[in-house]
């Protein structure tokens, strides 16, 4: 019965795609797929809960973002995503200020940082939810104070977790990185998202 209902839902017209994010980086990434979409800000509380791992936090926030928009815009296919950077027992969010960005990079100098990027897609026809978390391991090279300040002034990474833009000048701060999807580090794992949207019938190669 459930399979029949799902097949029936798949024959309906494709719902409009909504990116549940106000991030310009995610908007630019999703634009690469050349599928029309709109954006909506989920406006959720992104505070971690006690004892929550970075991976669990990223997954929960991606899900809550998608659910918040799906409730507001029923019948749309909604994409939620979130990213949490961690090094050891510390988690790193968007620094917000120059001083905070300097402090983040000083702490991460010479360290290995894991960026957990979570994705949640809610099918606007069946209501089915697709979820995944894509980790990327990043090794920062040792950085001097002068290098850190010069980078921050040139690249302005105040709205990036870990205070570095790998898709821009921030790549020069790194020794190496490893992961299954380079776009996950920027904020939206397009390889996995493409597979989900293709399964839902959206026109992708």
């Amino acid at each position: 019965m459930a399979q029949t209902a799902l097949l029936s839902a798949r024959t309906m017209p494709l719902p409009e795609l909504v990116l549940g994010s106000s991030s310009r980086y995610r908007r630019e990434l999703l634009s690469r797929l050349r599928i029309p979409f709109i954006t909506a800000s989920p406006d959720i509380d992104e505070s971690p809960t006690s004892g929550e791992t970075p991976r669990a936090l990223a997954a929960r926030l991606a899900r809550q973002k998608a659910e918040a928009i799906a409730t507001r815009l029923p019948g749309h296919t909604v994409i939620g995503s979130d990213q949490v950077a961690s090094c050891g027992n510390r988690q790193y969010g968007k620094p917000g200020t120059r001083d905070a960005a300097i402090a983040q990079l000083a702490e991460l100098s010479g360290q290995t940082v894991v960026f957990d990027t979570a994705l949640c897609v809610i099918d606007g026809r069946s209501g089915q939810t697709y979820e995944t978390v894509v980790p990327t391991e990043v090794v920062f090279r040792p950085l001097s104070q002068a290098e850190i300040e010069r980078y921050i002034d040139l690249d302005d990474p105040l709205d990036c977790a870990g205070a570095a833009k790998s898709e821009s000048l921030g790549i020069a701060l790194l020794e190496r990185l490893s992961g299954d999807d380079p776009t996950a580090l920027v904020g939206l794992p397009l390889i996995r998202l493409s597979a989900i949207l293709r399964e839902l019938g959206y026109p992708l190669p």
Side-chain angles (χ1 to χ4, degrees):
M1 178 70 73
Q3 186 176 7
T4 301
L6 182 58
L7 289 173
S8 176
R10 295 282 171 79
T11 64
M12 297 168 59
L14 288 171
E16 187 170 19
L17 200 60
V18 183
L19 175 62
S21 175
S22 57
S23 165
R24 61 187 176 93
Y25 306 109
R26 293 192 177 102
R27 184 171 65 249
E28 290 166 1
L29 284 167
L30 185 54
S31 296
R32 292 190 195 180
L33 300 185
R34 303 186 183 185
I35 299 174
F37 68 93
I38 61 174
T39 61
S41 178
D43 297 322
I44 65 166
D45 180 4
E46 300 189 22
S47 304
T49 61
S50 177
E52 194 170 31
T53 66
R55 183 183 182 92
L57 172 60
R60 177 175 62 82
L61 294 180
R63 185 185 315 114
Q64 288 182 346
K65 288 177 180 180
E67 289 173 346
I69 300 302
T71 298
R72 195 189 314 166
L73 299 173
H76 292 68
T77 292
V78 182
I79 301 167
S81 186
D82 196 83
Q83 184 183 80
V84 178
S86 61
C87 180
N89 295 322
R90 290 208 57 181
Q91 296 182 9
Y92 296 85
K94 301 171 185 176
T97 67
R98 182 177 184 274
D99 287 345
I102 291 172
Q104 277 198 15
L105 285 180
E107 289 184 14
L108 299 178
S109 172
Q111 301 298 311
T112 299
V113 185
V114 176
F115 290 79
D116 284 305
T117 307
L119 174 68
C120 178
V121 179
I122 300 177
D123 182 2
R125 293 164 296 185
S126 68
Q128 184 172 354
T129 298
Y130 301 79
E131 297 182 85
T132 190
V133 179
V134 181
T136 307
E137 187 174 88
V138 175
V139 180
F140 282 83
R141 63 181 180 81
L143 305 170
S144 69
Q145 184 73 13
E147 287 175 319
I148 290 172
E149 293 186 13
R150 174 174 167 76
Y151 165 70
I152 289 170
D153 290 339
L154 288 172
D155 219 17
D156 192 32
L158 306 188
D159 58 352
C160 299
K165 298 180 183 180
S166 64
E167 73 280 15
S168 185
L169 183 58
I171 198 69
L173 306 181
L174 310 182
E175 282 189 356
R176 62 184 181 276
L177 57 84
S178 60
D180 294 334
D181 186 344
T183 59
L185 184 56
V186 185
L188 188 65
L190 290 183
I191 293 176
R192 179 60 184 139
L193 177 58
S194 295
I196 293 170
L197 294 179
R198 193 179 299 113
E199 183 179 343
L200 294 179
Y202 288 88
L204 282 165

